[in-house]
Amino acid sequence: MSRTGPTLEDVARQAGVSRATVSRVVNGIRNVDPDIQELVRHAIEQTGYRPNRAARSLVTQRTETVALIISGAGDTFASRVFADPFFGRVVSGVFGYLRSHAMHPVLLVAESDAAREQVVDYLSQGSADGALVVSIQVCDPLPQMLVAARIPVVLFARPEHTDDVSHVDLAHAEGARLAAEHLLARGCRRIATISAPQSIPAARDRLDGFRAALASAGMADVPSAEGKFTVDSGAAAMAELLDGHPDVDGVFAANDLMAQGACQVLRERGRRIPDDVAVVGFDDSSVATTCRPPLTTVRQPVEKMAGAMARLLSEHIQGTRTRPTSVIFDAELVVRESA
């Protein structure tokens, strides 16, 4: 029977090295001279050799697969995850990094306690090399369950009660400060905010940073209404603010979806944006450019943050990073027509 493709022997012959040397390079073993590694990689490219994944896994004890876990969405998984552009941006960033490093993602959902147990069992059996966790639930037990099972894990966003898990996050308070200073600079003096649930650390940071910046400018009392990161909740919060503070001339919403809802209500109430009321959002998601008018917003580079998650996890898996690490990205204000 004829073989279906080039073999290790073909690569070794092309490179002028032994089969064992080619095997060490293919399997990522580090005790090979860099010049020889380059020679072997060039021979692999010339011959079109493709490693046998099953055989390679026997040597490396790795699957080259990473689990991306959405945890805590409950029964509303589809409506919460697929309706929010944030999650699509996370997936894009993770997949972009993994593809460029010959790693493969598997999407898992941990919407209940039973599902979390199943996820931990699945990973404990070696079905993936590590886990990237995006948690919707505040005190999510899954990260600690994975740590206890000795599964490499990296989180999107700072965990609430632990420092022993690597995570990637944004300087949320600094981003909110940028929003406050922008509203002040354009002359707004009756400023309100649509916050997000304060059980979430990022939401607290955004509200605290916004209030602190306004307090420094002599505005200690900032009207606030809480939303739930959705368009409808932003609309309801904006209506509440207008009913209680009809003279409001500037609004900061803790995400773009809520800012979009705020803009809808302002238009319905006959308020011109930004002439009567300036609006600033947070995230710089696709909503920011499709909103009418386009939103001034605080950019959260979600794709880059998700890519950094995948990079951190890869380093933990390979053993080049052994301690929990936090990577904090800077926020940036993007000015558009709404403010």
Side-chain angles (χ1 to χ4, degrees):
M1 182 181 294
S2 62
R3 70 189 187 202
T4 58
T7 65
L8 282 177
E9 287 78 6
D10 295 326
V11 177
R13 190 179 306 111
Q14 179 71 30
V17 299
S18 70
R19 183 187 187 281
T21 296
V22 174
S23 179
R24 287 198 296 273
V25 173
V26 168
N27 291 311
I29 298 173
R30 295 188 179 86
N31 62 343
V32 180
D33 183 272
D35 290 338
I36 295 178
Q37 291 185 40
E38 185 60 32
L39 188 66
V40 171
R41 292 191 186 102
H42 183 63
I44 289 173
E45 183 178 333
Q46 286 185 315
T47 60
Y49 172 74
R50 293 292 179 270
N52 182 296
R53 290 177 57 81
R56 182 174 178 179
S57 293
L58 289 174
V59 175
T60 64
Q61 298 297 300
R62 297 178 194 151
T63 65
E64 297 179 358
T65 298
V66 167
L68 174 59
I69 307 171
I70 309 297
S71 181
D75 296 334
T76 62
F77 169 75
S79 61
R80 294 187 69 178
V81 173
F82 294 116
D84 191 330
F86 166 80
F87 294 99
R89 296 175 68 192
V90 171
V91 171
S92 176
V94 167
F95 283 23
Y97 179 90
L98 296 180
R99 276 197 302 267
S100 66
H101 290 77
M103 301 172 74
H104 303 275
V106 56
L107 178 64
L108 302 177
V109 181
E111 77 281 10
S112 64
D113 290 339
R116 291 185 189 94
E117 293 285 356
Q118 291 173 358
V119 164
V120 174
D121 287 344
Y122 173 83
L123 295 174
S124 297
Q125 293 169 16
S127 300
D129 298 325
L132 300 166
V133 178
V134 181
S135 183
I136 297 172
Q137 183 174 314
V138 178
C139 295
D140 188 352
L142 181 61
Q144 284 304 312
M145 293 168 68
L146 295 169
V147 171
R150 298 182 180 278
I151 296 166
V153 57
V154 178
L155 309 184
F156 193 107
R158 181 180 83 246
E160 181 71 89
H161 298 301
T162 181
D163 294 323
D164 62 351
V165 183
S166 289
H167 66 274
V168 173
D169 209 341
L170 185 78
H172 296 281
E174 174 65 13
R177 181 189 65 79
L178 294 174
E181 291 178 349
H182 182 71
L183 290 172
L184 290 169
R186 74 177 315 277
C188 296
R189 291 299 178 265
R190 296 173 297 281
I191 301 173
T193 181
I194 299 174
S195 63
Q198 293 300 285
S199 57
I200 300 172
R204 290 200 303 270
D205 289 348
R206 293 177 192 183
L207 181 59
D208 290 347
F210 189 72
R211 283 177 167 168
L214 291 184
S216 297
M219 298 183 187
D221 185 18
V222 181
S224 176
E226 186 173 297
K228 298 180 179 178
F229 289 119
T230 64
V231 173
D232 289 345
S233 70
M238 189 71 252
E240 177 185 336
L241 287 170
L242 288 175
D243 290 343
H245 307 274
D247 61 345
V248 64
D249 63 359
V251 175
F252 167 58
N255 84 331
D256 292 340
L257 288 171
M258 294 193 296
Q260 183 182 42
C263 288
Q264 292 174 1
V265 169
L266 288 168
R267 289 195 300 270
E268 291 167 1
R269 298 281 185 100
R271 308 298 175 88
R272 298 170 299 166
I273 307 169
D275 303 278
D276 299 325
V277 183
V279 179
V280 178
F282 203 110
D283 283 340
D284 196 27
S285 65
S286 58
V287 170
T289 54
T290 58
C291 184
R292 291 295 174 263
L295 283 173
T296 291
T297 185
V298 177
R299 175 171 291 161
Q300 180 172 204
V302 174
E303 293 85 354
K304 290 183 179 179
M305 295 166 69
M309 281 177 71
R311 175 181 57 78
L312 269 181
L313 182 62
S314 177
E315 292 171 358
H316 282 305
I317 290 169
Q318 294 171 8
T320 58
R321 187 178 297 274
T322 59
R323 295 181 179 276
T325 302
S326 62
V327 176
I328 309 300
F329 281 73
D330 292 331
E332 175 189 355
L333 185 73
V334 180
V335 178
R336 298 191 181 94
E337 294 172 27
S338 71

